[in-house]
Amino acid sequence: MKGKYDKHIFVCINERPADSPKGCCAAKGGKDIRFEFVKLINQHGLKGKVRSNKSGCLDACELGATVAIYPDGFWYTRVKTEDVPEIFEKSVLKGEPVERLLATEKTWQELERIKNKL
């Protein structure tokens, strides 16, 4: 069964107190990142085909702003607003990962090490 959207972009905008050791994606640019995706969706005439949603915690805030794109299952960490055009071009339009930002098994192992220290 096909979903409503061809691509669904989830951008963590979770907020935590400023003194939280986990940090939060909102403070690391999550809201601006989502807005940049929305602008590109509209500029490319993809409204109704591609959706950029605000997401609650994606459980990787320690690694900077997090973006997940489905149905491809690309997860990106340490995303900055300047990364959005490249992610959009490669992952949304072409279905290809942006390797330098793509979360891998090594990324998740690093996250576990960080969480174990908190």
Side-chain angles (χ1 to χ4, degrees):
M1 180 174 166
K2 185 178 181 320
K4 182 174 179 182
Y5 301 103
D6 295 338
K7 300 276 181 175
H8 212 142
I9 307 163
F10 296 93
V11 182
C12 181
I13 61 158
N14 189 49
E15 294 183 65
R16 287 193 179 92
D19 62 348
S20 171
K22 286 185 158 197
C24 70
C25 290
K28 296 173 182 171
K31 292 176 184 179
D32 293 334
I33 289 165
R34 181 184 167 269
F35 182 68
E36 291 302 311
F37 276 116
V38 170
K39 284 191 334 190
L40 288 167
I41 289 166
N42 290 333
Q43 287 172 6
H44 284 81
L46 295 173
K47 191 172 182 177
K49 293 182 181 186
V50 176
R51 175 91 179 164
S52 179
N53 270 90
K54 297 177 215 171
S55 169
C57 186
L58 292 172
D59 201 26
C61 296
E62 295 88 344
L63 298 177
T66 302
V67 174
I69 301 177
Y70 286 96
D72 302 294
F74 299 140
W75 277 62
Y76 297 114
T77 57
R78 297 181 173 99
V79 177
K80 308 248 183 272
T81 53
E82 54 267 24
D83 298 318
V84 173
E86 181 181 7
I87 294 170
F88 190 85
E89 178 71 27
K90 286 189 173 180
S91 299
V92 175
L93 297 180
K94 296 178 181 174
E96 301 170 358
V98 177
E99 296 292 340
R100 68 185 179 80
L101 297 169
L102 189 64
T104 64
E105 187 58 38
K106 185 178 174 183
T107 308
W108 302 132
Q109 289 169 358
E110 176 188 359
L111 180 61
E112 267 316 298
R113 283 192 302 275
I114 292 168
K115 287 180 181 220
N116 288 335
K117 291 179 183 177
L118 297 180

